[in-house]
Amino acid sequence: MGTDLHDLLRSLRVWDVELPSFDPSGAPDVPLELFTAWFADAVAAGQTEPHTMSLATADEEGLPDVRTVMLHGSDASGWSFATHRDSRKGRQLAARPYAALGFYWPARGRQVRVRGPVTAAPSAEAQADLHARSTGALAAALTGRQSEVLASPEELARASEAAWERAREEPGAPVPTWTLYRLRPDEVEFFQGDARRRHVRLVYRRTEAGWVKELLWP
Ligand SMILES: Cc1cc2nc3c(=O)[nH]c(=O)nc-3n(C[C@H](O)[C@H](O)[C@H](O)COP(=O)(O)O)c2cc1C
């Protein structure tokens, strides 16, 4: 007998751990400060891979797409991530340079959503960012052809082997398609889950006069 997915789904819970309280009246005036505090808190709580996020883009027709990527930085110039500009997401970002990011840190019942325009950083910055990372990251980037149809696993094995060898021998090997993108937020929302479902949602919206904070119904 196979597993019944619906039985499994009914057996699972969310917001079943001890959750922190979040008082939005004491929140900082800029979202970056709160993001940095929540990120550090997620790391301290032992949240696995808190630096991974969903990246949502739209294609030329406006149809949505989403995948997981790593957060490379978050500062006054925006939230950054890196990928190949000729990948599917890279092509979507070229057509529609606007994206959304989603973080979920279940250990703390917290979600953060970020939306805004995306720009590519100068190529030298992308290469420096890549070369500061692991040999595996460089080998993966050197393998290239991301999102193209793969004819066979053997073809990937050969390309990956060659990429690993080059990454080990030439730690500064350039990867011309590798691009560092920065999302400059128009809007950042912080969601604090609550066991009684009285979740707190605090949204920051960028205006000409600076950041405006509002609460949202959960
Ligand atoms: C935990 C995790 C982290 C990832 N980080 C990245 C990343 O930083 N950059 C990247 O290009 N792909 C990353 N990927 C792979 C992407 O999810 C995706 O498969 C790939 O980028 C192709 O996406 P696309 O076809 O929409 O361009 C990651 C996947 C996982 C599961």
Side-chain angles (χ1 to χ4, degrees), residues 49 52 65 67-70 72 82-84 87-90 146-147 178:
E49 304 183 4
T52 61
D65 211 342
R67 79 289 289 155
T68 308
V69 294
M70 275 163 62
H72 283 225
T83 191
H84 292 281
S87 67
R88 181 158 156 173
K89 73 183 94 48
Q146 190 176 58
S147 314
W178 194 250

Side-chain angles (χ1 to χ4, degrees), residues 48-202:
T48 51
E49 304 183 4
H51 58 322
T52 61
M53 60 194 183
S54 298
L55 163 68
T57 50
D59 68 15
E60 244 165 301
E61 283 83 53
L63 298 176
D65 211 342
V66 68
R67 79 289 289 155
T68 308
V69 294
M70 275 163 62
L71 177 68
H72 283 225
S74 168
D75 53 34
S77 57
W79 271 247
S80 57
F81 56 91
T83 191
H84 292 281
R85 66 164 175 263
D86 53 353
S87 67
R88 181 158 156 173
K89 73 183 94 48
R91 284 180 274 120
Q92 291 172 346
L93 285 168
R96 290 178 182 260
Y98 202 96
L101 306 174
F103 295 85
Y104 178 44
W105 299 315
R108 305 298 272 162
R110 287 176 170 175
Q111 168 180 245
V112 181
R113 301 162 64 173
V114 189
R115 312 173 75 197
V118 175
T119 51
S123 168
E125 265 183 65
Q127 300 304 311
D129 180 79
L130 176 60
H131 297 136
R133 304 180 87 81
S134 63
T135 306
L138 178 57
L142 281 167
T143 303
R145 302 183 64 178
Q146 190 176 58
S147 314
E148 281 183 34
V149 172
L150 173 65
S152 72
E154 292 74 34
E155 202 183 339
L156 171 61
R158 275 194 302 276
S160 167
E161 202 48 60
W164 271 93
E165 206 177 307
R166 179 148 181 236
R168 280 192 214 98
E169 282 168 7
E170 198 189 334
V175 182
T177 56
W178 194 250
T179 306
L180 184 68
Y181 291 95
R182 292 209 168 91
L183 185 157
R184 182 176 183 265
D186 281 340
E187 205 176 287
V188 187
E189 185 199 312
F190 295 85
F191 177 111
Q192 173 65 66
D194 173 73
R196 293 157 305 164
R197 309 307 194 251
R198 213 173 297 162
H199 314 306
V200 179
R201 296 179 65 190
L202 173 67

